[in-house]
Amino acid sequence: MAVVVFSSALAQHTGGAGRVEIEAARVADLVKALCERYPGLRGHIDKMAVAVDDEVHSDARFVRLKPDSEVHFLPRIGGG
Amino acid sequence: MQSIPYQAPASVSEAVALLGSDAEARVLAGGTDLLVQVRGGVRKPSAWIDVKRIPDLLGVSVEGDSIRIGAATPAAVIFEHPELQRLVPGVAEATDLIGSTQIQGRATLGGNLCNASPAADTTPALIAVGAQCIVAGSGGEREIAVEAFATGPGQTALAQGELLVAVRIPKPAARTADAYLRLIPRTEMDIAVVGAGVALTLGDDGTCTQARVAIGAVAPTALLLEEAAAALVGSRVDDDALARVAAAATAAARPIDDKRGTIAYRRKVVGVLAKRAAAIAANRAQER
Amino acid sequence: MSERKFKQVGTRPIRHDGLEKVTGRANFGADYSLPGMLQGAVLRSPHAHAKIVSIDTSPALEVEGVKAVISGRDFPIPTREGDRQQYGDVPDLANNVIARDKVLYHGHAVAAVAATTIEAAQRGAEKIRVEYEVLPPVLDIESAIAPDAAILHDDLVCQGPAPVPSSPTNVARRTLLSGGDIEQGFADSDVVVEREFTTPMVHQGYIEPHATVVETLENGNVTIWCCTQGPFAVRGLTASVTGIELSKIKVIPSEIGGGFGGKTTIYLEPLAVELSRRSGRPVKLVMSREEVFRATGPTSAGRVRVKMGARKDGRLVAAEVVMYYEAGAFPGSPVGAGCMCALSAYCFDHFVIDGYDVVTTKPRVAAYRAPGAPIAAFGVEQVVDEVAERLGLDPIELRLLNAVQENDVAPYGPKYQAIGFRETLEEARKHPNYSATLGPNQGRGVASGFWFNAGLQSSASVHMNEDGTAIVTTGNPDIGGSRAAQAIMVAEELGIGAEQVVPLVGDTESAGYTDLTGGSRTAYATGMAIIEASQDIVRQLRERAAKIWGVELDGVAWEDGRAVPSNGAASDVEPLNLAEIAAQMGATGGPIVAQAAVSPPMAGPGFATHLCDVEVDQETGKVTVLRYTTVQDAGKAVHPSYVEGQMQGGAAQGIGWALNEEYIFDENGVVENPGFLDYRMPVASDLPMIDTVIVEVANPLHPYGVRGVGETPIVPPLACVANAVAAATGKRFTDLPISPPRVLAAIDGD
Ligand SMILES: Cc1cc2nc3c(=O)[nH]c(=O)nc-3n(C[C@H](O)[C@H](O)[C@H](O)COP(=O)(O)OP(=O)(O)OC[C@H]3O[C@@H](n4cnc5c(N)ncnc54)[C@H](O)[C@@H]3O)c2cc1C
């Protein structure tokens, strides 16, 4: 199962849970499952950049997850 | 830009006649102030009177006991003039500070004086060396001391129809030298936050016998400071005298707070520059 | 990868666009003209904050020569549909392009006029009657977040973790990152340094003002010529604002005279489109420098409080950073990125980073080189310096003790892959600048910086000419020498010289979709597409040689720009060079073309360490930069001259930000210094020659190891200069700019 690590800000929507294990094939599935488990995350994590195994994607929906993948949600960054 | 009629008279009298017949016509020298003002909508002249083709307004010459600089002479021609550099290094250094290499190819001494910016760099330097403005009008020529030429920001003693023809600087006496310093936050392409010009004469024993101190950008016009000069005369231009020059300059300054500097800062720094310019002038005089 | 021996990568060929640029032939935004073209002028708000009660544009039409007048009402009501996240919120963008109900800064566009001459357009604009209901301006963070503040947007509710205000506010978003136990961290520290810092709004100061020419046809097709970092962004955003179908818009980027992030959005294009549609004639709009300052995006003013604790042995233990960034008129300051960068160079077991995005009645901020990071680094890197001072440690030594390296966890979550921070510190320590003798009133500063490098989407196509030369086309305007780097990459793969490759900047119809030239992404992401397409070309060249020789593909190898027999096949044939193969394209399968597209993750972050020596005039407060050295991890420098140019340029801009640049607003919110005379960017003579040291720790995500280089170099200088001035004067400068009056006041203790 993939591990999602939440920032303290996002953990406000998970009842304080900072690490959550979840079964998902792709990031989109993971986001869906997370929002079902923690409805408060809706509208937040779906607009964020995502780091999967230390690679940061600005649009990660279809990135495949490995059984031991680690996932982080990050603010999006604008470049100059 | 709107089209504006343009004329380039070949003589002073022709220029004076043109100016006399149209109060809204403006003299165009290098245009480095004027074109910026017209583009910014600050001025709307009815006609350009380009004075760069009038021989009397062009060039630097050293004749008898004075140096004559034509009003339409560009800065670059002035500060590259070897004899002028030697005789009045402070004036040369002031012209060399204007803008940048490109600007100096256009910017004229007359334009700098007639634009009458309180921060104009050549003004304190010229006041320090006791320069006179030679002005022509329909009634002929007259002279105005540089310290009396600007009467307020953008205002001069020129009457309607008058033209600045040249600036006359008395040839410095023995053991006399000048210096000009200004402060800008950058190294070029900026307007003086503070400026100070000093000319002084040393006696054989190193005592200062005559001095003129002028400061710029700290009042509506550049100021000639009697008290600062008095602090130098009779001294050996030592630290004590320099401290008094600084204090006198600071006391005389009447600056404003604006985007280019604060009152407190300008007052302090005008003292610093006045004393530093005095020290440089004294060193130069010593070597003569 | 690291084994690969490069032949072209790392060389310094003359840039392909150099001749046109140095001879003035290159066309920039304002250089385009079309027959029958009208000139436009924009009417801008005289107030920083006001409701638009009414606009009467009809008097403008009475001016001779005026052909069209528009106001905000002539645009569709902006919706969030088709929001293109990476460029920000479309309704806000639309309202920034032209105000509808409210003006939110002095200079905000309210109407535009097109006429046969610029004078007629300006006269027309002056005739437009606008009735305003003036509201109080909101000009700094304090007053924006005060309980009785005038609210800019009635529907703005703060996003982010609690506690945040729940009623309409001027705080748009809170970002919070934390780890460990901050109280414990400070309790465990032997020294704690705490300071608050402020930085003013500053502008990118690109030389070329925004300019556009637009032509519309009867069938609704629109062509836009403009200077931009992203033609596809201009297309997408203009479509959103005008309601025109995206496919009817074609954007042709001109050469670009600087952008630094400021040309990643749109201002004039929708206005010119609408004026052109109404008049049926091409329309040109060009900003004056004053308009650029008043109405285009600078970067945020910021307030940053940093508290940092360390043990006696130099280990950093805990840090708390609270940041407020001004977004200007609409939400969207780079405070989120600032939060992610603030502590990312060092390992802290305990940290809190708390950021607030605050709206004020000032121009809407736009991206500026490493958006958000320099402001954070200004605070953090000064506090790091002070910690080192308090502990009696060398500032580079302290940084080395705490520097992040591969597999360390970043404060924003993931682990670092290969990064080159320590290498920059070690190179800086070895550099002669670090041991140069300092005289009286001189001081040395050190600071480091961190920045992400974007990935995003890129495409590239490569095709062969009949003579064996190649053309590479991408959708990235060349803002920092990217053409030369792109040609080098093609040349590397093909085994030819960079001068045998023509690099082209395509338009939105001749290049595949490509994201901005920005985010330090072009050499990395677009480079990947170019390399992939070039490798495809090489495969095709081998195929053609195999056909000519009558062997299988694996009987042909590609070496030094030639097909050579391999695996013992056709060993009796002479190698075929590119020209020989290209000459036979028709007989071997037709033209040789290839394209590739990528959407890679972000490149590994870039780190830099800078050194700065200054001298301070104790009597005037003037700071002179004596020496400046930048050391940066480029991953791999494709064209080292342009990497060095980026390092020097970023440092120069950062030094300006540190010493003299600032927007000066009067009490009504009017910018008092909207020109380069009083907005004091450094001039060439203000700076010493900036020395550069390129470190190369390969980015594992790129075939050559490239990581972006364009933004990182502006991150350290603010703090680096401040640290140097502190060393020279014994005073800490926590407010930018470190201008002569401020320095003198500190020295004199008043
Ligand atoms: C980028 C830049 C940098 C600058 N830097 C400096 C600086 O460092 N220091 C400084 O002091 N100034 C500076 N200036 C201002 C300007 O260059 C100088 O004041 C210059 O000397 C003006 O000369 P000009 O020949 O260009 O004058 P113009 O613009 O042609 O004229 C200025 C004014 O004087 C009047 N005038 C000119 N000649 C005469 C005459 N003979 N008789 C009567 N009226 C006349 C004109 O009608 C006009 O009103 C700078 C300007 C720019 C654009």
Side-chain angles (χ1 to χ4, degrees):
Chain A
M1 281 204 281
V3 177
V4 184
V5 183
F6 288 110
S7 66
S8 44
L10 287 175
Q12 288 195 353
H13 305 290
T14 63
R19 284 176 83 86
V20 172
E21 294 208 345
I22 207 151
E23 189 70 60
R26 303 175 306 170
V27 172
D29 308 318
L30 177 119
V31 168
K32 192 159 164 257
L34 281 171
C35 290
E36 273 161 22
R37 200 183 292 179
Y38 305 110
L41 286 174
R42 205 161 278 148
H44 293 286
I45 58 172
D46 36 355
K47 286 191 187 151
M48 298 181 86
V50 184
V52 179
D53 299 325
D54 306 323
E55 286 183 359
V56 183
H57 303 261
S58 53
D59 188 346
R61 279 173 292 169
F62 309 119
V63 173
R64 300 206 73 82
L65 297 169
K66 288 185 284 206
D68 59 344
S69 280
E70 189 175 299
V71 177
H72 298 261
F73 292 93
L74 325 172
R76 287 201 186 194
I77 302 147
Chain B
M1 216 183 292
Q2 306 291 348
S3 66
I4 297 172
Y6 169 92
Q7 273 173 299
S11 69
V12 170
S13 55
E14 209 184 314
V16 167
L18 285 167
L19 285 169
S21 66
D22 180 355
E24 299 305 314
R26 289 217 70 93
V27 172
L28 174 69
T32 59
D33 279 316
L34 195 51
L35 292 182
V36 178
Q37 291 160 1
V38 171
R39 284 202 178 163
V42 181
R43 283 188 194 280
K44 296 196 162 114
S46 59
W48 301 118
I49 314 293
D50 185 343
V51 294
K52 292 191 291 297
R53 309 233 177 117
I54 306 176
D56 278 357
L57 269 69
L58 296 173
V60 179
S61 55
V62 182
E63 300 151 359
D65 60 358
S66 64
I67 308 160
R68 185 184 185 281
I69 307 174
T73 312
V77 172
I78 300 170
F79 72 75
E80 282 171 10
H81 194 276
E83 210 175 349
L84 180 136
Q85 263 177 19
R86 190 175 53 77
L87 292 170
V88 280
V91 173
E93 124 196 309
T95 43
D96 193 11
L97 286 174
I98 294 178
S100 61
T101 303
Q102 293 91 327
I103 294 291
Q104 287 165 355
R106 306 284 307 172
T108 66
L109 188 67
N112 199 236
L113 287 170
C114 295
N115 187 58
S117 157
D121 279 308
T122 63
T123 308
L126 289 171
I127 293 175
V129 295
Q132 296 283 321
C133 295
I134 302 170
V135 169
S138 50
E141 281 194 355
R142 62 182 182 125
E143 290 207 1
I144 309 172
V146 173
E147 56 269 32
F149 187 72
T151 54
Q155 310 284 316
T156 66
L158 286 179
Q160 203 255 303
E162 278 188 322
L163 176 73
L164 176 64
V165 177
V167 167
R168 194 176 56 75
I169 303 169
K171 235 175 164 175
R175 286 171 65 80
T176 299
D178 67 327
Y180 175 75
L181 291 174
R182 72 159 180 198
L183 186 116
I184 54 171
R186 294 182 284 199
T187 46
E188 57 180 0
M189 298 299 277
D190 216 326
I191 301 280
V193 175
V194 166
V198 175
L200 50 75
T201 306
L202 296 182
D204 290 337
D205 63 348
T207 307
C208 177
T209 56
Q210 267 186 51
R212 283 170 70 91
V213 178
I215 54 178
V218 288
T221 62
L223 302 175
L224 175 63
L225 304 183
E226 308 283 348
E227 284 203 15
L232 289 167
V233 175
S235 82
R236 291 177 152 267
V237 197
D238 50 16
D239 287 350
D240 210 39
L242 291 174
R244 279 184 284 127
V245 170
T250 295
R254 290 178 274 120
I256 53 166
D257 263 325
D258 70 1
K259 61 196 171 192
R260 298 188 180 136
T262 59
I263 290 173
Y265 182 73
R266 286 181 153 132
R267 292 177 69 98
K268 257 187 215 169
V269 173
V270 76
V272 173
L273 295 197
K275 79 173 183 194
R276 288 183 182 177
I280 296 170
N283 271 337
R284 285 178 178 161
Q286 207 89 53
E287 282 159 17
R288 290 190 165 179
Chain C
M1 171 208 329
S2 47
E3 259 87 282
R4 182 162 176 176
K5 281 259 170 291
F6 292 108
K7 292 224 162 74
Q8 300 296 329
V9 169
T11 63
R12 302 171 184 250
I14 290 173
R15 64 190 292 161
H16 297 67
D17 51 323
L19 179 66
E20 287 91 332
K21 284 186 175 155
V22 299
T23 54
R25 290 186 179 98
N27 284 320
F28 291 83
D31 292 331
Y32 291 87
S33 281
L34 294 173
M37 185 176 78
L38 302 177
Q39 306 281 345
V42 179
L43 178 70
R44 297 182 180 278
S45 169
H47 307 293
H49 193 193
K51 281 203 180 102
I52 299 175
V53 178
S54 66
I55 299 187
D56 181 5
T57 54
S58 56
L61 285 169
E62 285 158 23
V63 173
E64 197 189 323
V66 169
K67 302 292 181 192
V69 191
I70 55 167
S71 73
R73 306 277 155 162
D74 295 316
F75 289 83
I77 293 179
T79 67
R80 260 156 238 279
E81 237 167 86
D83 236 23
R84 302 175 61 83
Q85 270 289 338
Q86 73 229 49
Y87 310 124
D89 185 286
V90 166
D92 287 351
L93 176 95
N95 286 321
N96 189 52
V97 164
I98 189 160
R100 215 181 161 76
D101 303 316
K102 230 183 159 186
V103 290
L104 290 159
Y105 52 92
H106 176 260
H108 198 162
V110 290
V113 180
T116 47
T117 64
I118 186 72
E119 290 80 15
Q122 282 161 351
R123 272 199 307 279
E126 284 165 20
K127 291 271 192 293
I128 295 171
R129 281 193 291 263
V130 188
E131 195 188 328
Y132 295 98
E133 179 190 327
V134 179
L135 299 168
V138 179
L139 296 173
D140 55 35
I141 292 161
E142 263 78 73
S143 45
I145 62 179
D148 59 345
I151 298 295
L152 271 69
H153 304 277
D154 293 335
D155 58 348
L156 180 66
V157 178
C158 186
Q159 310 273 313
V164 294
S166 53
S167 51
T169 161
N170 291 324
V171 183
R173 179 177 288 278
R174 177 177 185 217
T175 302
L176 180 67
L177 300 172
S178 65
D181 176 345
I182 191 73
E183 296 309 325
Q184 191 58 47
F186 288 125
D188 292 348
S189 301
D190 298 313
V191 294
V192 175
V193 175
E194 181 171 7
R195 282 193 186 271
E196 184 165 296
F197 301 87
T198 67
T199 66
M201 220 169 221
V202 296
H203 198 272
Q204 300 85 349
Y206 31 82
I207 291 177
E208 182 195 18
H210 299 260
T212 188
V213 171
V214 171
E215 179 174 51
T216 54
L217 299 185
E218 290 75 3
N219 62 6
N221 283 359
V222 175
T223 305
I224 300 174
W225 288 261
C226 63
C227 57
T228 177
Q229 293 175 245
F232 290 91
V234 172
R235 183 179 68 172
L237 295 172
T238 304
S240 302
V241 173
T242 58
I244 297 172
E245 284 166 65
L246 182 137
S247 59
K248 287 194 173 291
I249 301 176
K250 172 179 182 174
V251 178
I252 304 176
S254 66
E255 293 299 337
I256 175 167
F260 312 108
K263 291 177 183 163
T264 56
T265 184
I266 55 168
Y267 299 101
L268 298 174
E269 292 78 3
L271 306 180
V273 167
E274 202 46 46
L275 288 169
S276 174
R277 282 217 289 195
R278 277 162 196 263
S279 61
R281 312 227 330 224
V283 171
K284 181 179 203 164
L285 274 175
V286 181
M287 282 196 192
S288 65
R289 178 61 58 188
E290 186 176 333
E291 288 177 293
V292 171
F293 273 110
R294 295 199 194 286
T296 70
T299 195
S300 298
R303 199 178 80 193
V304 179
R305 194 168 55 73
V306 183
K307 183 176 175 188
M308 193 177 290
R311 286 202 316 248
K312 274 204 223 65
D313 62 3
R315 281 308 301 202
L316 297 173
V317 181
E320 183 178 41
V321 183
V322 182
M323 311 198 277
Y324 290 84
Y325 283 19
E326 279 185 56
F330 299 92
S333 79
V335 71
C339 288
M340 290 167 72
C341 293
L343 300 175
S344 293
Y346 309 105
C347 300
F348 288 94
D349 287 338
H350 312 283
F351 64 91
V352 175
I353 308 166
D354 197 358
Y356 298 85
D357 183 27
V358 181
V359 293
T360 52
T361 54
K362 294 185 185 172
R364 178 190 200 224
V365 301
Y368 179 16
R369 253 182 152 148
I375 302 169
F378 175 62
V380 170
E381 289 289 318
Q382 278 204 79
V383 170
V384 167
D385 200 59
E386 212 173 332
V387 167
E389 196 183 299
R390 295 265 291 272
L391 294 173
L393 282 172
D394 172 87
I396 292 186
E397 191 56 43
L398 179 100
R399 284 175 172 83
L400 274 167
L401 272 173
N402 296 282
V404 290
Q405 48 191 323
E406 192 168 355
N407 290 324
D408 282 336
V409 176
Y412 52 87
K415 288 199 288 291
Y416 293 111
Q417 300 176 318
I419 50 173
F421 183 27
R422 302 184 68 85
E423 288 77 356
T424 68
L425 287 162
E426 269 149 15
E427 287 297 324
R429 191 161 55 174
K430 279 193 288 199
H431 193 279
N433 190 159
Y434 203 57
S435 46
T437 311
L438 291 172
N441 302 321
Q442 297 183 356
R444 173 164 303 137
V446 178
S448 296
F450 164 96
W451 180 248
F452 305 95
N453 293 302
L456 303 176
Q457 304 175 64
S458 279
S459 61
S461 67
V462 179
H463 58 268
M464 298 301 306
N465 292 319
E466 309 90 286
D467 63 355
T469 58
I471 295 178
V472 55
T473 307
T474 75
N476 282 122
D478 180 355
I479 187 164
S482 57
R483 282 191 186 90
Q486 293 173 348
I488 288 176
M489 292 189 242
V490 175
E492 182 72 46
E493 296 301 326
L494 267 48
I496 54 180
E499 69 290 345
Q500 287 168 277
V501 181
V502 177
L504 288 186
V505 177
D507 58 53
T508 53
E509 292 181 354
S510 62
Y513 181 89
T514 295
D515 278 313
L516 303 163
T517 301
S520 305
R521 59 176 298 279
T522 309
Y524 165 65
T526 305
M528 284 167 89
I530 291 168
I531 294 165
E532 207 179 304
S534 303
Q535 288 170 346
D536 188 3
I537 294 278
V538 169
R539 188 189 49 78
Q540 295 181 43
L541 291 166
R542 287 172 53 227
E543 269 171 18
R544 305 303 172 95
K547 253 192 199 159
I548 294 168
W549 290 339
V551 302
E552 293 301 313
L553 182 59
D554 67 359
V556 183
W558 192 257
E559 280 170 16
D560 291 340
R562 298 184 316 170
V564 294
S566 77
N567 288 340
S571 49
D572 54 334
V573 298
E574 285 296 308
L576 285 167
N577 69 23
L578 260 169
E580 289 160 345
I581 299 172
Q584 303 185 60
M585 287 191 298
T588 56
I592 298 173
V593 300
Q595 49 201 346
V598 298
S599 181
M602 284 171 101
F607 287 88
T609 298
H610 291 191
L611 304 174
C612 173
D613 289 358
V614 300
E615 179 168 323
V616 179
D617 184 326
Q618 300 284 329
E619 288 185 315
T620 65
K622 188 169 167 172
V623 175
T624 304
V625 180
L626 304 171
R627 291 180 205 92
Y628 201 98
T629 302
T630 63
V631 187
Q632 188 172 327
D633 174 18
K636 182 77 208 169
V638 176
H639 190 309
S641 298
Y642 295 115
V643 172
E644 289 158 3
Q646 291 292 325
M647 291 162 69
Q648 292 168 323
Q653 285 184 309
I655 294 168
W657 195 343
L659 289 180
N660 284 307
E661 289 180 39
E662 64 177 320
Y663 268 52
I664 303 171
F665 289 91
D666 73 8
E667 70 279 7
N668 298 315
V670 179
V671 180
E672 289 192 315
N673 56 339
F676 284 138
L677 181 55
D678 291 307
Y679 181 87
R680 289 168 164 140
M681 296 185 77
V683 297
S685 52
D686 290 348
L687 301 171
M689 188 64 194
I690 294 168
D691 205 0
T692 54
V693 179
I694 299 172
V695 167
E696 293 184 328
V697 174
N699 166 22
L701 298 169
H702 186 277
Y704 301 163
V706 167
R707 54 182 103 224
V709 294
E711 294 172 285
T712 306
I714 203 173
V715 183
L718 286 57
C720 194
V721 171
N723 287 339
V725 176
T729 60
K731 311 274 178 199
R732 276 282 153 201
F733 289 86
T734 54
D735 303 308
L736 290 184
I738 307 173
S739 57
R742 210 168 247 154
V743 175
L744 190 62
I747 290 173
D748 291 352
D750 50 44

